[in-house]
Structure formats: C-alpha cells, structure tokens
Amino acid sequence: MKHPIWRASVFVLALLPPLYWLYLGWTSALGPDPGQVLVERLGQGALVILLLTLSLSPLQWSMRWTGWAHVRRQLGLWCFAYVCLHLTAYLLFILGLDWAQLGEELVERPYIIVGALAWLCLLVMAATSNRWSMRKLGPRWKKLHRLAYAVLGLGLLHMLWVVRSDIGLWLIYFAFGAALMLMRTPWASRRLKQRRRARQDARTADRQPPAARF
C-alpha cells in the first residue's frame, strides 16, 4: 500500500472532529441545544470534506503528487459517513424518532428533501467505490461518480435554505465550490496542465549541465 502514513493521518484527522463534538455534547459544552449544534456541525463537516475531496484532482494536476489520489476514495467515504451521522443526529435529536413528524417536516421544510437527495447520491457512490464496481461498470463508473458535482450543488442549496439570513459562512463554501468547478472546465484544466509542464521543463533545464564553451 502506497503512502500508508499519509492515509492513516487523513483517517485520524477525519475521525477526530465527530468524536470531539460528541465529547462536547456529553459534557454539556455545546450550549442549551446540543442536538441542534451536533446536527449543524456534522452537516458542515460533510460539506467541508466534500470540498476537500473535489480539490484533490486540481492539487494532483498542479503538484503531480500521487498521494492526493490515494486518499480520494477514503475522503469520499468519510463524506458519506458524516452525512449519515448528520441524518442520524437529526432523526434522534430533532425529531426524537417521531416518524409521523417526519412527514410534516418534509412538507414544511423542503430542504430536507434536498438533503435526502444528496444522501441518496452519496449512497450510490459509496456502494460503488470498490474495484469490483469499477471493473463491472467500466467507463460508466466515472460518469456515475460525477454525481459528486450534483451532491455539491444539493449540499450548498440545503445549507443555504437552512441558514437563510446568516449566509456569511455559506458564501465562503459557495466561492470555494465554484472555484473547484471552474478548475474542471476544459480551459482551466488545460492551463493547469500547461503550467505544470512549464515547471517540469524549467526543473529539467536546471538539472542539465551547462553547454561546453570553446
């Protein structure tokens, strides 16, 4: 396995925040409504991990380090895990497992449907994030996993609907997500690859011995 320390570090860094938030909730350090705070932090954590996952390809294009690609699947699964925890916390702490109230919430708060659609997309990608699925689906596998872009849009819409008037933090996430999508346009990807080739050519030229003088 390549880059074991890097992979283990990413795993630990992704695991620590929910454990820390659960500890704060257990010690009554999340304020008068710890359940709501947990729901919000897990949701924002999922969005942050999704943005980090989508940033791996531009980082690899610009830096040409294979370590970025080797944690893509792990971060994607962590994003799915955070969303599952976000959904579980909502059902447990907000609804109190009252399934009758869930129907009323879906009617009164359509952003829940948007979040559920994002979860379904992540479920499909998590279920197919294995070598067997890659071999079975072939070229369709990449097309299927472009659902991550739809998840980003749904996640941002879900968060915007929740925060409403206080959109300062949301604008930061939106700007970062928009920049990542811009980097995936053919023009931007070509520019990144051209800049990478230019740096490589410059390094190669520096390593070559000076021409002999007569």
Side-chain angles (χ1 to χ4, degrees):
M1 182 176 66
K2 295 183 179 180
H3 308 292
I5 297 177
W6 167 237
R7 290 186 179 193
S9 300
V10 171
F11 181 88
V12 172
L13 289 173
L15 176 64
L16 286 178
L19 291 179
Y20 178 64
W21 296 333
L22 288 172
Y23 168 76
L24 291 179
W26 181 263
T27 57
S28 302
L30 291 181
D33 194 355
Q36 181 66 39
V37 175
L38 277 174
V39 171
E40 292 174 356
R41 291 192 179 181
L42 287 167
Q44 290 184 21
L47 185 55
V48 168
I49 293 180
L50 177 60
L51 290 170
L52 290 175
T53 306
L54 293 174
S55 70
L56 294 177
S57 290
L59 285 171
Q60 188 175 1
W61 297 337
S62 60
M63 301 177 67
R64 206 173 183 180
W65 183 54
T66 58
W68 301 118
H70 282 91
V71 296
R72 183 183 291 114
R73 176 176 177 270
Q74 182 187 157
L75 281 180
L77 291 174
W78 270 116
C79 178
F80 177 64
Y82 269 64
V83 172
C84 288
L85 290 172
H86 173 69
L87 176 60
T88 302
Y90 171 76
L91 294 173
L92 185 62
F93 299 119
I94 306 301
L95 294 186
L97 298 180
D98 185 354
W99 301 105
Q101 187 181 353
L102 178 60
E104 298 177 4
E105 291 283 302
L106 292 173
V107 174
E108 295 178 2
R109 297 175 175 82
Y111 62 80
I112 299 174
I113 298 177
V114 174
L117 289 174
W119 178 81
L120 287 173
C121 292
L122 286 169
L123 176 62
V124 171
M125 289 191 293
T128 57
S129 63
N130 51 70
R131 295 187 183 276
W132 182 86
S133 296
M134 293 177 70
R135 291 194 300 267
K136 193 73 173 177
L137 295 172
R140 292 174 296 174
W141 187 86
K142 284 189 175 181
K143 293 181 180 179
L144 177 65
H145 280 250
R146 286 174 185 161
L147 283 173
Y149 307 148
V151 173
L152 176 60
L154 291 169
L156 287 170
L157 178 60
H158 176 77
M159 182 180 178
L160 177 62
W161 223 326
V162 172
V163 297
R164 294 181 182 177
S165 59
D166 186 15
I167 63 170
L169 183 59
W170 181 86
L171 286 173
I172 296 175
Y173 292 142
F174 175 78
F176 193 31
L180 290 174
M181 291 300 98
L182 180 62
M183 289 179 187
R184 280 170 164 75
T185 60
W187 177 84
S189 61
R190 283 197 301 269
R191 290 296 299 270
L192 284 172
K193 291 174 182 178
Q194 288 170 359
R195 290 178 63 183
R196 185 186 67 191
R197 289 196 207 101
R199 286 198 299 268
Q200 289 173 347
D201 293 342
R203 286 195 295 265
T204 302
D206 291 339
R207 294 194 193 102
Q208 291 179 349
R213 296 181 181 176
F214 296 96

